[in-house]
Amino acid sequence: MEKIFNDTAGAFALKSDTELDRAYFLFKMIASQPLVRIGTAVTNFALNLHLPVEGLIRATVFDHFCGGTTEEDCLPVVDKMFTKGVSSVLDYSVEAKEEESEFDKALEKTLKTIDFAKERQAIPFAVFKPTGFGRFDLWVKLGEGQEFSQEEEKEWARVKERFEIVCKTAHDNDVALLIDAEESWMQDAADNLVADMMRKYNREKAIVFNTLQMYRHDRLDYLKRLHEEAKNEGFHIGMKVVRGAYMEKEHKRAEEKGYPTPICASKEATDENYNNAIKYMMEHLDKMAIFAGTHNEESSYHLMELMQHAGITKNDGRVWFGQLYGMSDNISFNLAAHGYNVAKYLPFGPVRDVMPYLIRRAEENTSVAGQTSRELNLISAERKRRKLKD
């Protein structure tokens, strides 16, 4: 398999020198755990006191990792990336809300992104988080089999209604819909509801996609069980496959509550689990569709090789590669240049409301060994290449 991910000219073709310098500065900062902790505390402090820092945040970390504050804000970024063959997934990244009005707003935003996707080839997916449509504690309570109060029953009925509305709209408009995974202790309830939506709306092909976090050692078994149900009941499976985003939180809760951690024993075990899930889905592509969400080059090559060996064309609509905006441009843009389906998650929302997402991004980059140093090395190589060229 030809190694394609070192081409920095292609990876950063859309970035100006100023944008490249900003990226270098940001990843230098993220590389330091103490700086991330201090920066997070200072930012939260300033926002809580309503100090005028949003402009500074917008000009630095926000503009690097987000498309804008609204869907319309994102369109210049969407169009720009699509000139290089990279699609976008508009992601309303407002997290940690608890009010019904906020859940209704998230539904409204998701429906609007489906409208955008219907009209634009550059936006092939819509996306939302389960906790965007209902309270976290409600999901936990259902997942643990606890009884709902009468009020909670009504609340849960509204959650299901939001899911129904958005999945039906996606189906009716032929727009694929990604549903993100969250913490393991609420995920069982989400898995059950998403599977119900697959049974209803994935009869002809995958429209509704769940997410597998493969740092969980039980996820491949879950996929195989779901596959048996899909074969028996006649529906297709759509899955976004990722490594995972809540590792430290998962370990901490398992330790506090005295149960075995759901996380794989090592990074190597996680990598193997991820690759095995991709392999299993490729072997059953007649009834499955893959959105391979990864910043890992070896896993990307692994999927490319599986496609080649199976005779699957690079632009087969059942196989997509995905990365986050502002990260791993060497994977996204080089894959697209070679004809593969690639989409970047493009977060948007008010600066203040998107801060929990941005903080999580910074913390993840700090904790993933090698990710930030790889970004820095590639950015440094491109800066050097441009200076030599000049």
Side-chain angles (χ1 to χ4, degrees), residues 21 25 383:
D21 290 343
F25 167 77
R383 291 168 91 204

Side-chain angles (χ1 to χ4, degrees), residues 98-335:
E98 295 284 312
E99 300 82 26
E100 289 294 305
S101 61
E102 290 290 347
F103 303 143
D104 288 336
K105 186 176 178 182
L107 171 62
E108 179 190 320
K109 289 287 186 184
T110 309
L111 292 173
K112 191 171 179 182
T113 59
I114 291 173
D115 275 341
F116 271 57
K118 177 181 65 174
E119 301 296 335
R120 292 171 176 81
Q121 187 186 354
I123 306 175
F125 296 88
V127 65
F128 71 95
K129 289 166 68 86
T131 55
F133 284 6
R135 282 190 306 115
F136 184 86
D137 288 345
L138 193 71
W139 290 101
V140 174
K141 200 166 182 179
L142 180 65
E144 292 177 347
Q146 296 180 42
E147 288 279 326
F148 279 168
S149 67
Q150 275 193 323
E151 190 51 47
E152 286 169 336
E153 289 285 2
K154 292 176 186 172
E155 200 179 344
W156 177 244
R158 290 192 292 271
V159 174
K160 289 199 294 183
E161 184 183 19
R162 292 182 189 109
F163 266 72
E164 180 69 39
I165 290 168
V166 78
C167 291
K168 184 178 189 305
T169 304
H171 174 268
D172 291 350
N173 289 284
D174 196 27
V175 172
L177 180 66
L178 303 168
I179 302 173
D180 286 344
E182 302 187 60
E183 291 89 342
S184 63
W185 56 98
M186 63 75 62
Q187 190 61 40
D188 285 350
D191 287 341
N192 291 338
L193 185 51
V194 177
D196 285 344
M197 296 296 107
M198 285 189 194
R199 288 184 182 93
K200 195 165 186 178
Y201 295 111
N202 287 9
R203 306 306 293 187
E204 282 122 39
K205 65 176 183 178
I207 289 286
V208 177
F209 284 63
N210 202 355
T211 299
L212 295 173
Q213 299 196 100
M214 298 311 298
Y215 67 0
R216 284 182 56 179
H217 50 68
D218 64 341
R219 292 292 80 188
L220 184 54
D221 287 339
Y222 168 75
L223 174 63
K224 291 177 178 178
R225 287 196 306 275
L226 185 64
H227 184 213
E228 287 304 311
E229 292 173 20
K231 285 190 290 186
N232 292 334
E233 299 174 41
F235 65 91
H236 291 250
I237 292 173
M239 281 293 177
K240 182 174 73 154
V241 187
V242 301
R243 277 169 170 76
Y246 304 93
M247 185 167 67
E248 289 174 13
K249 204 187 278 191
E250 292 281 0
H251 282 318
K252 185 179 178 185
R253 187 176 192 269
E255 190 176 337
E256 286 173 354
K257 300 238 175 222
Y259 61 81
T261 179
I263 306 300
C264 291
S266 65
K267 171 72 165 59
E268 293 72 25
T270 297
D271 291 342
E272 184 179 0
N273 206 31
Y274 182 96
N275 289 340
N276 285 342
I278 293 290
K279 182 172 183 288
Y280 183 83
M281 292 191 73
M282 283 297 297
E283 288 168 351
H284 301 284
L285 204 59
D286 59 319
K287 287 289 184 182
M288 296 192 184
I290 304 168
F291 186 98
T294 182
H295 297 148
N296 185 290
E297 294 174 18
E298 290 309 313
S299 288
S300 300
Y301 285 129
H302 176 65
L303 178 50
M304 291 159 68
E305 286 170 356
L306 289 172
M307 292 175 71
Q308 188 179 66
H309 291 155
I312 302 296
T313 58
K314 292 178 179 180
N315 64 346
D316 189 298
R318 297 167 297 178
V319 183
W320 282 79
F321 294 80
Q323 289 78 43
L324 298 168
Y325 183 66
M327 293 172 59
S328 298
D329 286 348
N330 66 309
I331 296 177
S332 308
F333 288 93
N334 286 316
L335 279 171

